[in-house]
Amino acid sequence: MEACQARVRAALALDLGADLPPGLAGGAAAEQCRQEAAGDRYALQCGAPGRSVASGPRLVDRACETRPRVQPEGGVVWVEECRPADGSKPPEDGLRIRLGGDD
């Protein structure tokens, strides 16, 4: 297949001359191509590969305060209360189940 592609590129270069699109020009361009999909031997990806980054949890800066709290039975317990640093409403605690698009 590579030999056939080289012959076609050479014939196009002779026929089109300066009008040959850069993607069809020979040289190092064909060497930078790689197979795009497994199982499809004709699908090629040329140029820099696309990069995808898996999205992780959305991190939010928090402002936390430790305060004493009186227990009904007597005694004092230290409790840490945290809220988003930007002043937005804190997320609800508890179990959340995603059933489809939005919660």
Side-chain angles (χ1 to χ4, degrees):
M1 177 146 158
E2 289 82 13
C4 178
Q5 284 182 353
R7 286 193 310 270
V8 170
R9 287 176 195 267
L12 285 173
L14 287 175
D15 290 340
L16 296 176
D19 294 332
L20 183 69
L24 295 176
E31 295 172 3
Q32 295 175 358
C33 295
R34 67 198 162 288
Q35 194 170 6
E36 181 179 335
D40 186 0
R41 64 185 208 189
Y42 298 112
L44 295 177
Q45 171 68 41
C46 298
R51 297 179 188 239
S52 62
V53 177
S55 63
R58 191 177 134 238
L59 301 178
V60 177
D61 286 334
R62 300 184 318 162
C64 298
E65 297 175 346
T66 304
R67 298 181 176 191
R69 182 175 290 165
V70 178
Q71 295 292 317
E73 308 85 39
V76 176
V77 177
W78 292 91
V79 178
E80 183 178 46
E81 296 176 356
C82 298
R83 62 187 180 287
D86 61 2
S88 63
K89 181 181 176 187
E92 299 283 331
D93 288 338
L95 178 64
R96 297 177 71 176
I97 299 174
R98 185 176 300 258
L99 298 174
D102 293 332
D103 291 1

